[in-house]
Amino acid sequence: MITLKEKIGYGFGDAASSMFWKLFGMYLLFFYTDVFGMEAAAVGTMFLITRVWDSFFDPVVGVIADRTETRWGKFRPYLLFLAIPFAVIGVFTFFTPAFSSADKVIYAYVTYSLMMIVYSAINVPYASLLGVMSPDPKDRNVLSTFRMAFAYIGSFVTLLLFMPMVNYFSGHSKEVEAQQHGWFMAVIVIAIACAILFLLCFAFTKERVKPIREKQAPLKDDLRDLLRNRPWWILLGAGISALIFNSIRDGATIYYFKYYVEEDIFGTVKLLNIPFVLSGLYLALGQATNLIGVILAAPVSNRIGKRQTYMGAMAIAMVLSIIFYGLGSHSLALIFILQALISICAGSIFPLLWSMYADCADYSEYKTGNRATGLIFSSSSMSQKLGWAIGTALTGWLLAYFGFEANQVQNTETINGIKMFMSIFPAVGALLSVIFIYFYPLTEKGLKTITNELEKRRHQP
């Protein structure tokens, strides 16, 4: 029986991961171009190089985690021992040293690469934990819902408060040095919260599911079984496409509001005496409405199936994204309404993806007798990073292609490109994701048969 405390504790882990992941997705490209001082094309190339090679590090972490044996289990120890390094390296990723331009690029490559490595080392075991907390697919749906709910709560709080914290620590100055200090101090606050949440996740959760085969299979068997796992390949493609959809929209948001909407014209919006910028409210609204999608995911998918729910949500998101292109710079009400509707659709698919990865682990064990939970779940993190790598690299390169120059008035071609980042390009990612998931073969009826058979095998002498 999964207790409420354990469900909340599991959710704390993704709250921690998502706080930094949203900083990467929403702000890091902007930070590097407008605060740190790198060229957009150089940032795009860095994101592609570091994230692609690092994404293939995720299966390595999965393999190591599968072979970890401690008194705390296979996956929980990584939360305990990496929470502090995760926070420290995250802080220095957003630090601007007084280096030459060339040395700053090297610093960015080193710190960002280290951050992605430690992110893999803690997040792959955290994701894999879902597969061993309960053998029941419905329990996993609920745990996925808690996970994503807390992920979006953490992201919402971060995106709502991050820029006000930057402004506070910078003394509300637009000077580059003050902004650099403001960003660094704001990230320190986020990092402390992340470390605490990871430690609470370790303390509140428990590993229950034991593999049928007590002895760990050779690595070559794990890899052979994974490569023959057709549902895994489909989820990998769908996950990468979904992350391209998200990363392009997220990474372009600050540019959209700064250079197209020109949010300075509207001033700041005060809530509880805290001044918020429009882009921050827009991003926070996205996280809040993502949460609605998360809440809807379990009951809807339990009724009509995960595959149908996923396809319907992404098809609607694709259509709404295309409509977004036609919005004028002063159509704030429509901009925020479409953001809410698209985010509800996007929020509903990620609990389904996590739950389907757990189903893939069951499918693999059912077919082969070998349960490589960590290796299979590492693909979720791998798809995230590949999707973000492709999406953010495209954004950086296309910003340069469209003639973007940081902190300058943009020409018509650049503005049109920024609009496409929020609409047409994400719609392509959504379409690809729908096409992939159309071929996903694991039905609810089939999964029930697999679950029952695995339970019989586990109880055989």
Side-chain angles (χ1 to χ4, degrees):
M1 178 67 179
I2 308 294
T3 65
L4 178 61
K5 178 182 177 181
E6 191 169 5
K7 293 171 186 174
I8 291 172
Y10 186 65
F12 282 162
D14 213 21
S17 290
S18 294
M19 291 170 96
F20 257 112
W21 192 254
K22 284 302 175 183
L23 290 183
F24 299 150
M26 308 292 193
Y27 290 116
L28 194 56
L29 176 61
F30 179 83
F31 169 78
Y32 279 134
T33 59
D34 286 43
V35 180
F36 192 83
M38 288 176 65
E39 295 292 330
V43 179
T45 300
M46 183 186 77
F47 280 160
L48 184 66
I49 292 173
T50 55
R51 284 179 176 171
V52 166
W53 81 258
D54 177 57
S55 68
F56 293 103
F57 176 67
D58 290 1
V60 175
V61 176
V63 167
I64 295 171
D66 277 331
R67 286 157 177 76
T68 299
E69 296 291 344
T70 74
R71 61 191 177 97
W72 298 295
K74 290 179 176 291
F75 306 120
R76 291 172 62 242
Y78 293 89
L79 306 177
L80 176 63
F81 293 111
L82 292 177
I84 302 301
F86 178 90
V88 171
I89 297 172
V91 166
F92 281 98
T93 302
F94 283 88
F95 175 69
T96 305
F99 293 167
S100 66
S101 295
D103 288 341
K104 284 170 73 174
V105 171
I106 295 172
Y107 177 87
Y109 266 87
V110 171
T111 53
Y112 184 66
S113 296
L114 286 174
M115 187 58 198
M116 289 295 96
I117 289 172
V118 76
Y119 185 91
S120 294
I122 197 168
N123 201 255
V124 169
Y126 167 74
S128 304
L129 186 58
L130 175 65
V132 296
M133 288 177 68
S134 171
D136 188 339
K138 289 188 176 180
D139 279 347
R140 291 170 179 170
N141 281 348
V142 173
L143 284 168
S144 292
T145 298
F146 269 83
R147 172 186 182 168
M148 297 311 301
F150 276 89
Y152 288 125
I153 290 171
S155 299
F156 173 80
V157 172
T158 299
L159 296 175
L160 188 65
L161 298 181
F162 184 71
M163 288 311 296
M165 286 196 295
V166 169
N167 291 334
Y168 172 78
F169 287 119
S170 66
H172 297 276
S173 171
K174 297 295 184 183
E175 294 294 326
V176 173
E177 291 80 7
Q179 284 289 302
Q180 291 170 349
H181 175 74
W183 280 72
F184 180 66
M185 294 302 297
V187 173
I188 288 177
V189 175
I190 300 298
I192 292 171
C194 289
I196 293 171
L197 288 168
F198 271 130
L199 293 174
L200 289 174
C201 179
F202 164 80
F204 290 173
T205 55
K206 182 179 180 181
E207 298 186 23
R208 293 179 180 81
V209 177
K210 302 296 182 184
I212 296 171
R213 183 186 298 172
E214 290 296 329
K215 187 177 179 181
Q216 182 64 49
L219 175 58
K220 64 181 179 63
D221 289 351
D222 284 356
L223 293 174
R224 181 198 63 210
D225 295 342
L226 181 68
L227 294 177
R228 293 176 179 177
N229 191 325
R230 181 169 171 260
W232 175 82
W233 280 107
I234 291 170
L235 289 185
L236 182 64
I240 291 172
S241 301
L243 265 296
I244 290 174
F245 166 82
N246 262 0
S247 63
I248 293 178
R249 289 187 77 245
D250 292 349
T253 294
I254 309 300
Y255 298 98
Y256 184 81
F257 275 87
K258 181 175 180 178
Y259 298 108
Y260 178 59
V261 175
E262 298 181 0
E263 62 184 348
D264 285 344
I265 294 175
F266 298 94
T268 56
V269 179
K270 281 200 171 184
L271 298 175
L272 301 176
N273 266 340
I274 301 174
F276 295 100
V277 295
L278 288 174
S279 56
L281 291 175
Y282 174 91
L283 292 171
L285 174 66
Q287 298 308 296
T289 46
N290 275 153
L291 183 55
I292 296 174
V294 169
I295 293 170
L296 291 174
V300 174
S301 63
N302 285 339
R303 184 176 181 83
I304 68 172
K306 297 174 189 177
R307 175 175 167 273
Q308 288 79 2
T309 303
Y310 188 108
M311 289 178 61
M314 286 308 281
I316 294 170
M318 177 186 67
V319 173
L320 293 176
S321 295
I322 294 171
I323 295 172
F324 201 98
Y325 178 79
L327 299 182
S329 60
H330 286 68
S331 304
L332 291 182
L334 289 175
I335 289 172
F336 276 75
I337 288 171
L338 280 183
Q339 163 71 340
L341 295 175
I342 293 171
S343 298
I344 290 172
C345 295
S348 66
I349 68 166
F350 289 105
L352 302 177
L353 277 174
W354 294 120
S355 182
M356 286 189 278
Y357 279 119
D359 296 339
C360 282
D362 285 349
Y363 174 80
S364 178
E365 188 175 21
Y366 173 75
K367 287 289 188 180
T368 67
N370 180 33
R371 186 178 187 87
T373 308
L375 182 59
I376 287 174
F377 268 89
S378 69
S379 64
S380 63
S381 180
M382 185 171 72
S383 69
Q384 277 191 325
K385 290 181 179 179
L386 284 173
W388 281 111
I390 296 169
T392 51
L394 284 173
T395 303
W397 292 337
L398 289 172
L399 277 172
Y401 173 79
F402 287 122
F404 171 79
E405 293 184 19
N407 300 308
Q408 304 294 323
V409 176
Q410 308 302 321
N411 61 38
T412 302
E413 182 183 7
T414 305
I415 293 298
N416 186 58
I418 290 173
K419 288 173 62 180
M420 292 177 71
F421 291 137
M422 300 293 287
S423 54
I424 305 301
F425 298 145
V428 174
L431 176 60
L432 290 173
S433 194
V434 169
I435 292 172
F436 274 110
I437 216 69
Y438 175 80
F439 295 100
Y440 184 70
L442 298 183
T443 65
E444 275 63 29
K445 182 178 179 181
L447 285 169
K448 187 174 181 180
T449 301
I450 290 172
T451 302
N452 291 338
E453 176 60 27
L454 290 177
E455 281 300 300
K456 288 179 184 177
R457 294 180 191 177
R458 290 191 180 99
H459 288 93
Q460 286 177 352

